[in-house]
Amino acid sequence: MTAVRTETTAQSASDTSFPPGFVWGAATAAYQVEGAAAEDGRTPSIWDTFSHTPGRVRNGDTGDIAADHYHRYKDDVALMKDLGLQAYRFSVSWSRVQPTGRGPAVERGLDFYRRLTDELLEAGITPVATLYHWDLPQELEDAGGWPQRDTAHRFANYAEIMARALGDRVGVWTTLNEPWCSAFLGYGSGVHAPGRTDPAATLRAAHHLNLAHGLAIGALRENLPSTAQTSITLNLHQVRPLTGSAADAEAARRIDAVGNRIFTGPILDGAYPEDLLADTAHLVDWAELVHDGDLAEISRPIDLLGVNYYSPTVVSAAAGDGASTRDDGHGASAHSPWTGADDVAFHLANDQLTAMNWAIDATGLHTLLTGLAASHPGLPLMVTENGAAFDDYVSPEGRVNDPQRIAYLHSHLDAVRQAVADGADVRGYFLWSLLDNFEWSYGYSKRFGAVYVDYGTQRRIPKASAHWYAEVIRRNALPGAGEQG
Ligand code: FCB
């Protein structure tokens, strides 16, 4: 069993290299790549239901086949090996291994993850498993979903199943990926599954996701060897006020509360922030929601914090009819995901945009990492997702040239390197994504992969950025001035 290394050495600012032992990886998620939606006993998750509901996903795309990773995992691992990847962050489809979200596991489902992890280990690639990347078994949503407290207990039971099944071969575990999206996009704006738009349900979901994380950490710890590392991955918003005005600072405070501190507060500091409780007191009864003992569960120690970063979040006060500007980069909805933070407008940090219309600004990643190092010294960090979608196409010669993605990765990796030089204990970096895949409500219209997928044939074509990244990994350093790759 391999784990990520336990020490870092700071680098000098002029050096383009990363610390020895820095882990280089790529990430995917089950529903986005696996396909095989109804095979070997898998039952629908909320994303199957959502994507099959007309109007929810662009072009009516679904994850039924996706990148067919379920059948092509061997080839995909061989591709990872060719690129020199040292770690692969994948997620487990809960309804593949425990179809109803309760009761005994399905061995055929577990076997897929056993085969995948064996193949990775054989190739010398460290498996990094995420238990939940947004695909709740539909039966649990039918029973109330994340707004229901029992869902957190179901999740802890599933974590135990996975630790017992894979604990001998997976050394790095993540409970949840981006619980903000599960709660606020799933139950607030409704642009993600299950597509509900209910402010109280959103906050209840957030608390139960926190509780699920804490209970799962307990279950993992009880069932994993002591060398295993546990973590959660958050999409912390790098919130910036548009101007220096007091009103914009207040907008930033409120977005930071419902975007970040609703998770970092209980998980890392053992309490929900007072200002968050005050901002949302009219929406939910926190005293009823948070039971005695919950915060102790939620704040169980973790070994690593996963950080996903794409673009900064620039906000200002919106003069008020009560409606926040909805254009915040998370998808169009008549309902704001920012429960409890009305009258906030969202802005682009600059006009250099990816195909998602997200502004490219690598300084945000540096600020996030150094900010966490300052606020939570001693907590090792891992960049578990970073990358960009562009309108990639295959040239007549059969190549995919993506200089914009190379530039994006270069600037963001340089920000990581600089954060390490400035004292942040960043242990590794996972590019999002290994493969082009099902980009949630955007379906297959957005390509984030380092490897192009021709969905008609399932042919994989490593993009120029994949070759560039392979070279960075080989050298454990960025190209120097004048050698942009
Ligand atoms: C993150 C998700 C990931 C992918 C990227 C682009 O929020 O975790 O699955 O969709 O965004």
Side-chain angles (χ1 to χ4, degrees), residues 28-29 32 89 133-134 177-178 181 185 192 233 235 308-310 330 356 358 384-389 432-433 437-440 448:
T28 64
Q32 295 181 277
R89 174 178 182 252
H133 201 124
W134 306 353
N177 176 73
E178 301 190 353
C181 295
L185 302 181
H192 279 188
T233 279
N235 57 318
N308 290 357
Y309 173 82
Y310 291 91
H330 291 290
M356 299 294 287
W358 295 347
T384 38
E385 283 181 29
N386 174 244
W432 184 272
S433 175
N437 60 47
F438 176 82
E439 180 46 36
W440 308 113
F448 274 92

PDB file of all heavy atoms in Angstrom, residues 28-29 32 89 133-134 177-178 181 185 192 233 235 308-310 330 356 358 384-389 432-433 437-440 448, ligand 1:
ATOM      1  N   THR A  28     -10.629  11.763 -11.892  1.00  0.00           N
ATOM      2  CA  THR A  28     -11.908  11.568 -12.595  1.00  0.00           C
ATOM      3  C   THR A  28     -12.964  11.351 -11.507  1.00  0.00           C
ATOM      4  O   THR A  28     -12.642  11.353 -10.316  1.00  0.00           O
ATOM      5  CB  THR A  28     -11.910  10.312 -13.499  1.00  0.00           C
ATOM      6  OG1 THR A  28     -11.762   9.142 -12.677  1.00  0.00           O
ATOM      7  CG2 THR A  28     -10.818  10.350 -14.560  1.00  0.00           C
ATOM      8  N   ALA A  29     -14.201  11.129 -11.929  1.00  0.00           N
ATOM      9  CA  ALA A  29     -15.256  10.747 -10.978  1.00  0.00           C
ATOM     10  C   ALA A  29     -16.139   9.695 -11.634  1.00  0.00           C
ATOM     11  O   ALA A  29     -16.322   9.705 -12.855  1.00  0.00           O
ATOM     12  CB  ALA A  29     -16.093  11.960 -10.590  1.00  0.00           C
ATOM     13  N   GLN A  32     -18.917  10.475 -14.122  1.00  0.00           N
ATOM     14  CA  GLN A  32     -18.437  11.223 -15.280  1.00  0.00           C
ATOM     15  C   GLN A  32     -17.695  10.357 -16.304  1.00  0.00           C
ATOM     16  O   GLN A  32     -17.596  10.737 -17.460  1.00  0.00           O
ATOM     17  CB  GLN A  32     -17.535  12.368 -14.815  1.00  0.00           C
ATOM     18  CG  GLN A  32     -18.308  13.399 -14.005  1.00  0.00           C
ATOM     19  CD  GLN A  32     -17.440  14.560 -13.551  1.00  0.00           C
ATOM     20  OE1 GLN A  32     -16.759  14.463 -12.537  1.00  0.00           O
ATOM     21  NE2 GLN A  32     -17.444  15.635 -14.297  1.00  0.00           N
ATOM     22  N   ARG A  89      -6.769   9.713  -8.881  1.00  0.00           N
ATOM     23  CA  ARG A  89      -7.894   9.994  -7.997  1.00  0.00           C
ATOM     24  C   ARG A  89      -9.181   9.648  -8.748  1.00  0.00           C
ATOM     25  O   ARG A  89      -9.499  10.282  -9.756  1.00  0.00           O
ATOM     26  CB  ARG A  89      -7.885  11.482  -7.607  1.00  0.00           C
ATOM     27  CG  ARG A  89      -9.091  11.924  -6.813  1.00  0.00           C
ATOM     28  CD  ARG A  89      -8.996  13.401  -6.416  1.00  0.00           C
ATOM     29  NE  ARG A  89     -10.139  13.788  -5.621  1.00  0.00           N
ATOM     30  CZ  ARG A  89     -11.130  14.578  -6.054  1.00  0.00           C
ATOM     31  NH1 ARG A  89     -11.103  15.104  -7.263  1.00  0.00           N
ATOM     32  NH2 ARG A  89     -12.140  14.847  -5.258  1.00  0.00           N
ATOM     33  N   HIS A 133     -18.687  11.372  -4.989  1.00  0.00           N
ATOM     34  CA  HIS A 133     -18.570  12.475  -5.943  1.00  0.00           C
ATOM     35  C   HIS A 133     -19.954  12.683  -6.559  1.00  0.00           C
ATOM     36  O   HIS A 133     -20.171  12.463  -7.744  1.00  0.00           O
ATOM     37  CB  HIS A 133     -17.493  12.154  -6.978  1.00  0.00           C
ATOM     38  CG  HIS A 133     -16.919  13.353  -7.684  1.00  0.00           C
ATOM     39  ND1 HIS A 133     -15.579  13.660  -7.703  1.00  0.00           N
ATOM     40  CD2 HIS A 133     -17.517  14.332  -8.415  1.00  0.00           C
ATOM     41  CE1 HIS A 133     -15.375  14.758  -8.411  1.00  0.00           C
ATOM     42  NE2 HIS A 133     -16.540  15.187  -8.863  1.00  0.00           N
ATOM     43  N   TRP A 134     -20.929  12.980  -5.668  1.00  0.00           N
ATOM     44  CA  TRP A 134     -22.243  13.514  -6.034  1.00  0.00           C
ATOM     45  C   TRP A 134     -23.307  12.508  -6.468  1.00  0.00           C
ATOM     46  O   TRP A 134     -24.427  12.912  -6.801  1.00  0.00           O
ATOM     47  CB  TRP A 134     -22.111  14.572  -7.142  1.00  0.00           C
ATOM     48  CG  TRP A 134     -21.163  15.674  -6.828  1.00  0.00           C
ATOM     49  CD1 TRP A 134     -20.518  15.918  -5.630  1.00  0.00           C
ATOM     50  CD2 TRP A 134     -20.726  16.703  -7.717  1.00  0.00           C
ATOM     51  NE1 TRP A 134     -19.724  17.027  -5.734  1.00  0.00           N
ATOM     52  CE2 TRP A 134     -19.822  17.530  -7.004  1.00  0.00           C
ATOM     53  CE3 TRP A 134     -21.005  17.003  -9.046  1.00  0.00           C
ATOM     54  CZ2 TRP A 134     -19.210  18.645  -7.583  1.00  0.00           C
ATOM     55  CZ3 TRP A 134     -20.400  18.113  -9.621  1.00  0.00           C
ATOM     56  CH2 TRP A 134     -19.516  18.920  -8.893  1.00  0.00           C
ATOM     57  N   ASN A 177     -16.417  14.749  -2.155  1.00  0.00           N
ATOM     58  CA  ASN A 177     -15.914  15.751  -3.086  1.00  0.00           C
ATOM     59  C   ASN A 177     -16.872  16.932  -3.113  1.00  0.00           C
ATOM     60  O   ASN A 177     -18.058  16.770  -3.414  1.00  0.00           O
ATOM     61  CB  ASN A 177     -15.825  15.182  -4.503  1.00  0.00           C
ATOM     62  CG  ASN A 177     -15.399  16.251  -5.509  1.00  0.00           C
ATOM     63  OD1 ASN A 177     -14.241  16.649  -5.527  1.00  0.00           O
ATOM     64  ND2 ASN A 177     -16.334  16.735  -6.320  1.00  0.00           N
ATOM     65  N   GLU A 178     -16.356  18.110  -2.786  1.00  0.00           N
ATOM     66  CA  GLU A 178     -17.106  19.361  -2.934  1.00  0.00           C
ATOM     67  C   GLU A 178     -18.532  19.287  -2.384  1.00  0.00           C
ATOM     68  O   GLU A 178     -19.507  19.405  -3.143  1.00  0.00           O
ATOM     69  CB  GLU A 178     -17.137  19.792  -4.400  1.00  0.00           C
ATOM     70  CG  GLU A 178     -15.761  20.009  -5.005  1.00  0.00           C
ATOM     71  CD  GLU A 178     -15.816  20.669  -6.388  1.00  0.00           C
ATOM     72  OE1 GLU A 178     -16.921  20.843  -6.922  1.00  0.00           O
ATOM     73  OE2 GLU A 178     -14.743  21.015  -6.914  1.00  0.00           O
ATOM     74  N   CYS A 181     -21.177  21.804  -3.592  1.00  0.00           N
ATOM     75  CA  CYS A 181     -21.963  21.572  -4.812  1.00  0.00           C
ATOM     76  C   CYS A 181     -23.140  20.644  -4.520  1.00  0.00           C
ATOM     77  O   CYS A 181     -24.261  20.872  -4.986  1.00  0.00           O
ATOM     78  CB  CYS A 181     -21.083  21.003  -5.919  1.00  0.00           C
ATOM     79  SG  CYS A 181     -19.812  22.166  -6.467  1.00  0.00           S
ATOM     80  N   LEU A 185     -25.853  23.418  -5.036  1.00  0.00           N
ATOM     81  CA  LEU A 185     -26.301  23.274  -6.431  1.00  0.00           C
ATOM     82  C   LEU A 185     -27.360  22.185  -6.540  1.00  0.00           C
ATOM     83  O   LEU A 185     -28.236  22.241  -7.402  1.00  0.00           O
ATOM     84  CB  LEU A 185     -25.115  22.945  -7.354  1.00  0.00           C
ATOM     85  CG  LEU A 185     -23.959  23.955  -7.367  1.00  0.00           C
ATOM     86  CD1 LEU A 185     -22.867  23.519  -8.342  1.00  0.00           C
ATOM     87  CD2 LEU A 185     -24.453  25.364  -7.703  1.00  0.00           C
ATOM     88  N   HIS A 192     -27.811  20.997 -10.257  1.00  0.00           N
ATOM     89  CA  HIS A 192     -27.268  19.649 -10.126  1.00  0.00           C
ATOM     90  C   HIS A 192     -28.334  18.739  -9.518  1.00  0.00           C
ATOM     91  O   HIS A 192     -29.285  19.210  -8.892  1.00  0.00           O
ATOM     92  CB  HIS A 192     -26.040  19.654  -9.215  1.00  0.00           C
ATOM     93  CG  HIS A 192     -24.775  20.093  -9.915  1.00  0.00           C
ATOM     94  ND1 HIS A 192     -23.545  20.013  -9.336  1.00  0.00           N
ATOM     95  CD2 HIS A 192     -24.565  20.609 -11.153  1.00  0.00           C
ATOM     96  CE1 HIS A 192     -22.622  20.455 -10.183  1.00  0.00           C
ATOM     97  NE2 HIS A 192     -23.218  20.837 -11.288  1.00  0.00           N
ATOM     98  N   THR A 233     -12.365  16.706   0.279  1.00  0.00           N
ATOM     99  CA  THR A 233     -12.028  17.686  -0.766  1.00  0.00           C
ATOM    100  C   THR A 233     -13.093  18.775  -0.797  1.00  0.00           C
ATOM    101  O   THR A 233     -14.284  18.478  -0.933  1.00  0.00           O
ATOM    102  CB  THR A 233     -11.918  16.996  -2.137  1.00  0.00           C
ATOM    103  OG1 THR A 233     -10.630  16.373  -2.241  1.00  0.00           O
ATOM    104  CG2 THR A 233     -12.044  17.996  -3.270  1.00  0.00           C
ATOM    105  N   ASN A 235     -14.313  22.620  -2.468  1.00  0.00           N
ATOM    106  CA  ASN A 235     -14.085  23.642  -3.503  1.00  0.00           C
ATOM    107  C   ASN A 235     -14.159  24.991  -2.812  1.00  0.00           C
ATOM    108  O   ASN A 235     -15.144  25.700  -2.890  1.00  0.00           O
ATOM    109  CB  ASN A 235     -15.094  23.548  -4.652  1.00  0.00           C
ATOM    110  CG  ASN A 235     -16.540  23.646  -4.222  1.00  0.00           C
ATOM    111  OD1 ASN A 235     -16.929  23.063  -3.211  1.00  0.00           O
ATOM    112  ND2 ASN A 235     -17.351  24.355  -4.983  1.00  0.00           N
ATOM    113  N   ASN A 308      -9.898  21.972  -4.361  1.00  0.00           N
ATOM    114  CA  ASN A 308     -10.182  22.076  -5.797  1.00  0.00           C
ATOM    115  C   ASN A 308     -10.275  23.546  -6.150  1.00  0.00           C
ATOM    116  O   ASN A 308     -10.989  24.309  -5.477  1.00  0.00           O
ATOM    117  CB  ASN A 308     -11.521  21.410  -6.145  1.00  0.00           C
ATOM    118  CG  ASN A 308     -11.471  19.899  -6.025  1.00  0.00           C
ATOM    119  OD1 ASN A 308     -10.424  19.314  -5.738  1.00  0.00           O
ATOM    120  ND2 ASN A 308     -12.609  19.253  -6.245  1.00  0.00           N
ATOM    121  N   TYR A 309      -9.590  23.946  -7.189  1.00  0.00           N
ATOM    122  CA  TYR A 309      -9.624  25.367  -7.571  1.00  0.00           C
ATOM    123  C   TYR A 309      -9.659  25.515  -9.083  1.00  0.00           C
ATOM    124  O   TYR A 309      -8.901  24.864  -9.801  1.00  0.00           O
ATOM    125  CB  TYR A 309      -8.389  26.108  -7.034  1.00  0.00           C
ATOM    126  CG  TYR A 309      -8.311  27.527  -7.549  1.00  0.00           C
ATOM    127  CD1 TYR A 309      -9.040  28.544  -6.938  1.00  0.00           C
ATOM    128  CD2 TYR A 309      -7.562  27.844  -8.680  1.00  0.00           C
ATOM    129  CE1 TYR A 309      -9.005  29.847  -7.442  1.00  0.00           C
ATOM    130  CE2 TYR A 309      -7.523  29.137  -9.191  1.00  0.00           C
ATOM    131  CZ  TYR A 309      -8.249  30.139  -8.566  1.00  0.00           C
ATOM    132  OH  TYR A 309      -8.226  31.421  -9.061  1.00  0.00           O
ATOM    133  N   TYR A 310     -10.555  26.406  -9.545  1.00  0.00           N
ATOM    134  CA  TYR A 310     -10.650  26.703 -10.982  1.00  0.00           C
ATOM    135  C   TYR A 310     -10.554  28.185 -11.280  1.00  0.00           C
ATOM    136  O   TYR A 310      -9.913  28.587 -12.235  1.00  0.00           O
ATOM    137  CB  TYR A 310     -11.965  26.138 -11.548  1.00  0.00           C
ATOM    138  CG  TYR A 310     -11.965  24.623 -11.574  1.00  0.00           C
ATOM    139  CD1 TYR A 310     -12.448  23.883 -10.491  1.00  0.00           C
ATOM    140  CD2 TYR A 310     -11.431  23.923 -12.651  1.00  0.00           C
ATOM    141  CE1 TYR A 310     -12.401  22.491 -10.495  1.00  0.00           C
ATOM    142  CE2 TYR A 310     -11.383  22.535 -12.672  1.00  0.00           C
ATOM    143  CZ  TYR A 310     -11.866  21.828 -11.589  1.00  0.00           C
ATOM    144  OH  TYR A 310     -11.806  20.456 -11.594  1.00  0.00           O
ATOM    145  N   HIS A 330     -21.904  28.871 -12.010  1.00  0.00           N
ATOM    146  CA  HIS A 330     -22.306  27.517 -11.626  1.00  0.00           C
ATOM    147  C   HIS A 330     -23.478  26.987 -12.440  1.00  0.00           C
ATOM    148  O   HIS A 330     -23.953  25.887 -12.192  1.00  0.00           O
ATOM    149  CB  HIS A 330     -22.657  27.459 -10.140  1.00  0.00           C
ATOM    150  CG  HIS A 330     -21.472  27.638  -9.243  1.00  0.00           C
ATOM    151  ND1 HIS A 330     -20.494  26.690  -9.125  1.00  0.00           N
ATOM    152  CD2 HIS A 330     -21.097  28.672  -8.457  1.00  0.00           C
ATOM    153  CE1 HIS A 330     -19.559  27.113  -8.277  1.00  0.00           C
ATOM    154  NE2 HIS A 330     -19.893  28.315  -7.878  1.00  0.00           N
ATOM    155  N   MET A 356     -15.821  27.348 -20.042  1.00  0.00           N
ATOM    156  CA  MET A 356     -16.890  27.409 -19.036  1.00  0.00           C
ATOM    157  C   MET A 356     -17.268  28.860 -18.724  1.00  0.00           C
ATOM    158  O   MET A 356     -18.114  29.099 -17.853  1.00  0.00           O
ATOM    159  CB  MET A 356     -16.441  26.745 -17.723  1.00  0.00           C
ATOM    160  CG  MET A 356     -16.082  25.280 -17.826  1.00  0.00           C
ATOM    161  SD  MET A 356     -17.479  24.212 -18.234  1.00  0.00           S
ATOM    162  CE  MET A 356     -18.400  24.202 -16.691  1.00  0.00           C
ATOM    163  N   TRP A 358     -15.219  30.730 -17.150  1.00  0.00           N
ATOM    164  CA  TRP A 358     -14.582  30.979 -15.861  1.00  0.00           C
ATOM    165  C   TRP A 358     -13.295  31.761 -16.133  1.00  0.00           C
ATOM    166  O   TRP A 358     -12.516  31.393 -17.029  1.00  0.00           O
ATOM    167  CB  TRP A 358     -14.227  29.658 -15.165  1.00  0.00           C
ATOM    168  CG  TRP A 358     -15.419  28.821 -14.788  1.00  0.00           C
ATOM    169  CD1 TRP A 358     -16.734  29.205 -14.766  1.00  0.00           C
ATOM    170  CD2 TRP A 358     -15.407  27.440 -14.378  1.00  0.00           C
ATOM    171  NE1 TRP A 358     -17.534  28.146 -14.370  1.00  0.00           N
ATOM    172  CE2 TRP A 358     -16.747  27.056 -14.125  1.00  0.00           C
ATOM    173  CE3 TRP A 358     -14.391  26.489 -14.187  1.00  0.00           C
ATOM    174  CZ2 TRP A 358     -17.099  25.769 -13.698  1.00  0.00           C
ATOM    175  CZ3 TRP A 358     -14.752  25.208 -13.760  1.00  0.00           C
ATOM    176  CH2 TRP A 358     -16.093  24.864 -13.510  1.00  0.00           C
ATOM    177  N   THR A 384      -6.555  18.665  -5.284  1.00  0.00           N
ATOM    178  CA  THR A 384      -7.194  17.455  -5.794  1.00  0.00           C
ATOM    179  C   THR A 384      -7.894  17.675  -7.132  1.00  0.00           C
ATOM    180  O   THR A 384      -8.280  16.691  -7.777  1.00  0.00           O
ATOM    181  CB  THR A 384      -8.169  16.874  -4.760  1.00  0.00           C
ATOM    182  OG1 THR A 384      -8.845  17.946  -4.097  1.00  0.00           O
ATOM    183  CG2 THR A 384      -7.420  16.063  -3.713  1.00  0.00           C
ATOM    184  N   GLU A 385      -8.081  18.932  -7.529  1.00  0.00           N
ATOM    185  CA  GLU A 385      -8.578  19.228  -8.877  1.00  0.00           C
ATOM    186  C   GLU A 385      -8.115  20.612  -9.286  1.00  0.00           C
ATOM    187  O   GLU A 385      -8.183  21.560  -8.497  1.00  0.00           O
ATOM    188  CB  GLU A 385     -10.117  19.247  -8.946  1.00  0.00           C
ATOM    189  CG  GLU A 385     -10.762  17.900  -8.965  1.00  0.00           C
ATOM    190  CD  GLU A 385     -12.280  17.987  -9.068  1.00  0.00           C
ATOM    191  OE1 GLU A 385     -12.811  18.955  -9.653  1.00  0.00           O
ATOM    192  OE2 GLU A 385     -12.941  17.082  -8.544  1.00  0.00           O
ATOM    193  N   ASN A 386      -7.697  20.719 -10.527  1.00  0.00           N
ATOM    194  CA  ASN A 386      -7.414  22.007 -11.158  1.00  0.00           C
ATOM    195  C   ASN A 386      -7.275  21.713 -12.653  1.00  0.00           C
ATOM    196  O   ASN A 386      -6.690  20.696 -13.028  1.00  0.00           O
ATOM    197  CB  ASN A 386      -6.109  22.606 -10.586  1.00  0.00           C
ATOM    198  CG  ASN A 386      -5.692  23.876 -11.311  1.00  0.00           C
ATOM    199  OD1 ASN A 386      -4.635  23.931 -11.951  1.00  0.00           O
ATOM    200  ND2 ASN A 386      -6.505  24.889 -11.224  1.00  0.00           N
ATOM    201  N   GLY A 387      -7.820  22.579 -13.471  1.00  0.00           N
ATOM    202  CA  GLY A 387      -7.744  22.351 -14.903  1.00  0.00           C
ATOM    203  C   GLY A 387      -8.710  23.276 -15.619  1.00  0.00           C
ATOM    204  O   GLY A 387      -9.298  24.169 -15.001  1.00  0.00           O
ATOM    205  N   ALA A 388      -8.888  23.059 -16.916  1.00  0.00           N
ATOM    206  CA  ALA A 388      -9.711  23.985 -17.684  1.00  0.00           C
ATOM    207  C   ALA A 388     -10.326  23.293 -18.891  1.00  0.00           C
ATOM    208  O   ALA A 388      -9.735  22.386 -19.471  1.00  0.00           O
ATOM    209  CB  ALA A 388      -8.857  25.155 -18.165  1.00  0.00           C
ATOM    210  N   ALA A 389     -11.538  23.769 -19.244  1.00  0.00           N
ATOM    211  CA  ALA A 389     -12.186  23.298 -20.472  1.00  0.00           C
ATOM    212  C   ALA A 389     -11.897  24.287 -21.590  1.00  0.00           C
ATOM    213  O   ALA A 389     -11.968  25.501 -21.390  1.00  0.00           O
ATOM    214  CB  ALA A 389     -13.691  23.190 -20.254  1.00  0.00           C
ATOM    215  N   TRP A 432      -7.480  18.014 -13.267  1.00  0.00           N
ATOM    216  CA  TRP A 432      -8.825  17.663 -13.708  1.00  0.00           C
ATOM    217  C   TRP A 432      -8.903  17.973 -15.176  1.00  0.00           C
ATOM    218  O   TRP A 432      -8.825  19.121 -15.525  1.00  0.00           O
ATOM    219  CB  TRP A 432      -9.926  18.422 -12.948  1.00  0.00           C
ATOM    220  CG  TRP A 432     -11.258  17.911 -13.417  1.00  0.00           C
ATOM    221  CD1 TRP A 432     -11.995  18.369 -14.476  1.00  0.00           C
ATOM    222  CD2 TRP A 432     -11.972  16.781 -12.883  1.00  0.00           C
ATOM    223  NE1 TRP A 432     -13.115  17.602 -14.651  1.00  0.00           N
ATOM    224  CE2 TRP A 432     -13.118  16.625 -13.685  1.00  0.00           C
ATOM    225  CE3 TRP A 432     -11.747  15.901 -11.823  1.00  0.00           C
ATOM    226  CZ2 TRP A 432     -14.048  15.606 -13.452  1.00  0.00           C
ATOM    227  CZ3 TRP A 432     -12.675  14.903 -11.595  1.00  0.00           C
ATOM    228  CH2 TRP A 432     -13.809  14.765 -12.407  1.00  0.00           C
ATOM    229  N   SER A 433      -9.019  16.977 -15.989  1.00  0.00           N
ATOM    230  CA  SER A 433      -9.264  15.583 -15.660  1.00  0.00           C
ATOM    231  C   SER A 433      -8.349  14.718 -16.502  1.00  0.00           C
ATOM    232  O   SER A 433      -7.783  15.182 -17.497  1.00  0.00           O
ATOM    233  CB  SER A 433     -10.735  15.269 -15.959  1.00  0.00           C
ATOM    234  OG  SER A 433     -11.027  13.906 -15.761  1.00  0.00           O
ATOM    235  N   ASN A 437     -14.912  14.105 -20.252  1.00  0.00           N
ATOM    236  CA  ASN A 437     -15.970  13.312 -19.623  1.00  0.00           C
ATOM    237  C   ASN A 437     -17.278  14.076 -19.515  1.00  0.00           C
ATOM    238  O   ASN A 437     -17.399  15.185 -20.028  1.00  0.00           O
ATOM    239  CB  ASN A 437     -15.480  12.790 -18.256  1.00  0.00           C
ATOM    240  CG  ASN A 437     -15.119  13.908 -17.301  1.00  0.00           C
ATOM    241  OD1 ASN A 437     -15.880  14.865 -17.143  1.00  0.00           O
ATOM    242  ND2 ASN A 437     -13.946  13.815 -16.676  1.00  0.00           N
ATOM    243  N   PHE A 438     -18.223  13.468 -18.824  1.00  0.00           N
ATOM    244  CA  PHE A 438     -19.571  14.022 -18.641  1.00  0.00           C
ATOM    245  C   PHE A 438     -19.491  15.188 -17.652  1.00  0.00           C
ATOM    246  O   PHE A 438     -19.334  14.966 -16.455  1.00  0.00           O
ATOM    247  CB  PHE A 438     -20.490  12.915 -18.101  1.00  0.00           C
ATOM    248  CG  PHE A 438     -21.883  13.363 -17.770  1.00  0.00           C
ATOM    249  CD1 PHE A 438     -22.851  13.481 -18.771  1.00  0.00           C
ATOM    250  CD2 PHE A 438     -22.243  13.666 -16.459  1.00  0.00           C
ATOM    251  CE1 PHE A 438     -24.144  13.891 -18.464  1.00  0.00           C
ATOM    252  CE2 PHE A 438     -23.539  14.080 -16.146  1.00  0.00           C
ATOM    253  CZ  PHE A 438     -24.477  14.194 -17.148  1.00  0.00           C
ATOM    254  N   GLU A 439     -19.560  16.410 -18.184  1.00  0.00           N
ATOM    255  CA  GLU A 439     -19.394  17.583 -17.324  1.00  0.00           C
ATOM    256  C   GLU A 439     -20.762  18.011 -16.754  1.00  0.00           C
ATOM    257  O   GLU A 439     -21.280  19.071 -17.052  1.00  0.00           O
ATOM    258  CB  GLU A 439     -18.678  18.706 -18.075  1.00  0.00           C
ATOM    259  CG  GLU A 439     -18.447  19.990 -17.289  1.00  0.00           C
ATOM    260  CD  GLU A 439     -17.916  19.828 -15.873  1.00  0.00           C
ATOM    261  OE1 GLU A 439     -17.097  18.928 -15.624  1.00  0.00           O
ATOM    262  OE2 GLU A 439     -18.354  20.605 -15.003  1.00  0.00           O
ATOM    263  N   TRP A 440     -21.349  17.152 -15.960  1.00  0.00           N
ATOM    264  CA  TRP A 440     -22.571  17.433 -15.214  1.00  0.00           C
ATOM    265  C   TRP A 440     -23.647  18.088 -16.095  1.00  0.00           C
ATOM    266  O   TRP A 440     -23.947  17.546 -17.151  1.00  0.00           O
ATOM    267  CB  TRP A 440     -22.229  18.231 -13.948  1.00  0.00           C
ATOM    268  CG  TRP A 440     -21.142  17.528 -13.164  1.00  0.00           C
ATOM    269  CD1 TRP A 440     -19.857  17.975 -12.965  1.00  0.00           C
ATOM    270  CD2 TRP A 440     -21.185  16.230 -12.519  1.00  0.00           C
ATOM    271  NE1 TRP A 440     -19.130  17.051 -12.240  1.00  0.00           N
ATOM    272  CE2 TRP A 440     -19.915  15.980 -11.951  1.00  0.00           C
ATOM    273  CE3 TRP A 440     -22.188  15.262 -12.370  1.00  0.00           C
ATOM    274  CZ2 TRP A 440     -19.617  14.806 -11.257  1.00  0.00           C
ATOM    275  CZ3 TRP A 440     -21.887  14.098 -11.668  1.00  0.00           C
ATOM    276  CH2 TRP A 440     -20.628  13.889 -11.123  1.00  0.00           C
ATOM    277  N   PHE A 448     -12.590  18.791 -20.412  1.00  0.00           N
ATOM    278  CA  PHE A 448     -11.574  19.125 -19.405  1.00  0.00           C
ATOM    279  C   PHE A 448     -10.364  18.196 -19.469  1.00  0.00           C
ATOM    280  O   PHE A 448      -9.426  18.344 -18.709  1.00  0.00           O
ATOM    281  CB  PHE A 448     -12.166  19.019 -17.997  1.00  0.00           C
ATOM    282  CG  PHE A 448     -12.863  20.252 -17.486  1.00  0.00           C
ATOM    283  CD1 PHE A 448     -14.223  20.428 -17.673  1.00  0.00           C
ATOM    284  CD2 PHE A 448     -12.156  21.228 -16.791  1.00  0.00           C
ATOM    285  CE1 PHE A 448     -14.882  21.554 -17.176  1.00  0.00           C
ATOM    286  CE2 PHE A 448     -12.794  22.349 -16.292  1.00  0.00           C
ATOM    287  CZ  PHE A 448     -14.160  22.519 -16.485  1.00  0.00           C
TER     288      PHE A 448
HETATM  289  C1  FCB B   1     -15.615  20.248 -10.098  1.00  0.00           C
HETATM  290  C2  FCB B   1     -16.069  18.813 -10.000  1.00  0.00           C
HETATM  291  C3  FCB B   1     -15.598  17.942 -11.123  1.00  0.00           C
HETATM  292  C4  FCB B   1     -15.613  18.662 -12.455  1.00  0.00           C
HETATM  293  C5  FCB B   1     -14.942  19.997 -12.340  1.00  0.00           C
HETATM  294  C6  FCB B   1     -14.879  20.767 -13.638  1.00  0.00           C
HETATM  295  O1  FCB B   1     -16.496  21.074  -9.409  1.00  0.00           O
HETATM  296  O2  FCB B   1     -15.651  18.255  -8.790  1.00  0.00           O
HETATM  297  O3  FCB B   1     -16.373  16.783 -11.135  1.00  0.00           O
HETATM  298  O4  FCB B   1     -16.897  18.752 -12.922  1.00  0.00           O
HETATM  299  O5  FCB B   1     -15.582  20.782 -11.382  1.00  0.00           O
END
